[in-house]
Amino acid sequence: MTSSPARTSPARTAKGARGDLFDPACPTRRLLDRIGTKWTSMAVKVLAEASPDEVRFAELRRRMPGVSQKMLSATLQSLTRDGLVARRVEPTVPPRVHYRLTDLGLSLEVALATVRAWAEEHMAEIDRADHAHADE
């Protein structure tokens, strides 16, 4: 019986190297947790539709039904920290805060748009399977 070679932890790989989703220590998992939420997908979509223009916080909240101020704030902070969104604050009273997608954020929109389209196309099938499973 041969053993497989030990995996190198992504934290120890060269900067810019691809991660290994199946390695529990891989940062890819944390990133997927952050970008895989409905609020992230909605925020990125709204900002992509406005690109290259900026969108103010209040407008984002209006265009994302159901999102709380706290959740939208946390989502935007995460996207900004990850370099997907740029934030600009006007020094007014109260401050006006504007957001726009970075080039990296625009590249994420391409992937998220594909996932959203898949979900919209297959939602009826998923609902039928879910209901059939619930009836068992």
Side-chain angles (χ1 to χ4, degrees), residues 12-24:
R12 289 179 252 155
T13 60
K15 188 172 184 164
R18 293 183 76 102
D20 178 358
L21 178 62
F22 295 100
D23 180 345

Side-chain angles (χ1 to χ4, degrees), residues 54-96:
E54 298 174 321
V55 180
R56 289 190 51 201
F57 183 91
E59 179 62 20
L60 273 165
R61 188 155 180 227
R62 273 192 293 278
R63 301 218 17 225
M64 295 172 58
V67 70
S68 68
Q69 182 171 338
K70 181 179 179 179
M71 181 54 70
L72 180 56
S73 180
T75 299
L76 291 168
Q77 286 174 3
S78 176
L79 291 169
T80 301
R81 182 183 59 245
D82 292 339
L84 300 165
V85 168
R87 180 178 185 266
R88 182 176 64 85
V89 180
E90 286 184 35
T92 59
V93 178
R96 290 188 180 123

Side-chain angles (χ1 to χ4, degrees), residues 31 34-36 40 43-44 47-48 75-87 99-109 112:
L31 179 59
R34 292 195 305 270
I35 65 174
T40 293
V44 168
L47 292 169
T75 299
L76 291 168
Q77 286 174 3
S78 176
L79 291 169
T80 301
R81 182 183 59 245
D82 292 339
L84 300 165
V85 168
R87 180 178 185 266
Y99 297 90
R100 68 169 178 76
L101 287 180
T102 62
D103 289 342
L104 186 60
L106 285 168
S107 72
L108 175 61
E109 167 54 16
L112 290 178

